[in-house]
Amino acid sequence: MNLFYSPDLNEEKKRFTFDKEESRHIIRVLRKTEGDHIYLTNGKGWIFKAEITVADIRHCTVLLTEKRRQEGRNYYIHLAVAPTKMNDRYEWFLEKATEIGVDEITPVICDHSERTVVKPERLEKILQSAMKQSLSAFMPRLNPVVSLESFLQQQTPGQHCIAHCEEGKERHLLKEKIVPGTETTILIGPEGDFSVREIGMALDKGYIPVSLGNTRLRTETAAVVACHTVALMNLTT
């Protein structure tokens, strides 16, 4: 099953025309023709079955014949992750977290960050591709880049955790602090970890200091482990 994505779809539409890039992929690469069926999502929980009515590589048009609402999760994962030095590592994290199930991602700039610029258009494409590959009907929300200090000023519901590696400070295993069925925000720092100042700011805001295990993980690995831990702990509910 191939899943296509367009945020412009809604449950009231009867027909839809793909842009040139998607049309070419459907007709030339996948060799679909008139009468064939494909599936689409708007990233908001809806999956549509559609029949190709115009098999043109410039403007493939479909008739939406069926629709269904994909069941969502009863919990929410928000990962605030510092950009990695190498772009491909951050893209890997986005892909895997989307496959596992993440709802919201915020790139945060920290005291020890080596990269302060990201390309949102590229990251959005990674998210879209991973969503379609995993046959999910929910597109993760990608927020603009912000400083960690600004992020900590935001008021968000649920529980809040900071995963850091500072020796000599109390930390709890993340799996022991997860509250199933609620919203969880987790901070993941850069390659050089959070600074002592940043850890103090997060703790002052009520963030729970957590550990992801006995080994030191790369930023992108830590983010995926955190995402999977939350997802796994919610499987029992």
Side-chain angles (χ1 to χ4, degrees):
M1 173 179 166
N2 290 301
L3 187 63
F4 297 90
Y5 166 71
S6 175
D8 299 326
L9 283 168
N10 62 61
E11 56 272 30
E12 304 303 324
K13 284 206 173 197
K14 300 299 181 184
R15 293 185 181 275
F16 181 76
T17 299
F18 290 95
D19 61 25
K20 186 176 181 180
E21 181 179 353
E22 285 281 52
S23 295
R24 187 178 187 282
H25 180 71
I26 294 168
I27 306 305
R28 180 152 298 175
V29 178
L30 298 179
R31 299 185 182 279
K32 297 293 185 180
T33 187
E34 292 177 7
D36 287 345
H37 289 91
I38 59 176
Y39 294 85
L40 305 86
T41 181
N42 59 2
K44 303 178 181 70
W46 286 96
I47 290 182
F48 305 87
K49 183 178 181 180
E51 179 183 343
I52 297 176
T53 57
V54 179
D56 191 301
I57 62 172
R58 294 163 298 180
H59 45 78
C60 175
T61 301
V62 297
L63 174 67
L64 304 178
T65 57
E66 297 178 23
K67 63 184 178 183
R68 66 179 175 87
R69 181 77 181 172
Q70 191 176 81
E71 184 177 354
R73 298 185 294 273
N74 68 333
Y75 61 97
Y76 192 95
I77 305 176
H78 183 177
L79 296 176
V81 185
T84 52
K85 184 177 180 180
M86 303 299 292
N87 282 328
D88 60 341
R89 290 180 180 174
Y90 205 79
E91 292 172 3
W92 179 85
F93 140 63
L94 291 176
E95 178 183 79
K96 302 312 173 188
T98 301
E99 292 177 14
I100 294 167
V102 66
D103 298 284
E104 188 172 356
I105 299 133
T106 303
V108 291
I109 305 304
C110 305
D111 288 344
H112 298 158
S113 290
E114 294 188 61
R115 179 176 294 278
T116 59
V117 177
V118 298
K119 297 179 179 179
E121 298 82 7
R122 169 67 181 170
L123 301 187
E124 286 282 357
K125 288 185 177 181
I126 297 295
L127 294 175
Q128 290 178 25
S129 178
M131 177 191 66
K132 292 188 290 185
Q133 187 279 329
S134 57
L135 301 182
S136 171
F138 294 92
M139 177 73 172
R141 175 181 175 184
L142 178 65
N143 295 321
V145 179
V146 296
S147 68
L148 178 63
E149 193 164 356
S150 296
F151 183 82
L152 290 173
Q153 300 303 318
Q154 300 175 13
Q155 299 295 320
T156 55
Q159 61 178 160
H160 303 77
C161 301
I162 177 171
H164 69 79
C165 302
E166 184 70 20
E167 297 292 341
K169 292 187 180 294
E170 181 184 19
R171 290 178 293 161
H172 312 272
L173 281 176
L174 176 61
K175 69 176 185 177
E176 296 174 352
K177 290 298 177 179
I178 296 301
V179 179
T182 188
E183 180 169 332
T184 302
T185 298
I186 303 176
L187 290 173
I188 305 291
E191 281 87 339
D193 200 12
F194 294 108
S195 67
V196 173
R197 181 186 75 90
E198 291 171 330
I199 295 172
M201 286 194 303
L203 298 183
D204 288 344
K205 290 293 183 179
Y207 277 72
I208 303 168
V210 297
S211 167
L212 301 174
N214 296 324
T215 58
R216 177 165 291 197
L217 306 176
R218 289 183 180 274
T219 294
E220 69 276 13
T221 310
V224 170
V225 169
C227 184
H228 182 260
T229 299
V230 176
L232 190 62
M233 295 309 294
N234 273 278
L235 287 180
T236 59
T237 63

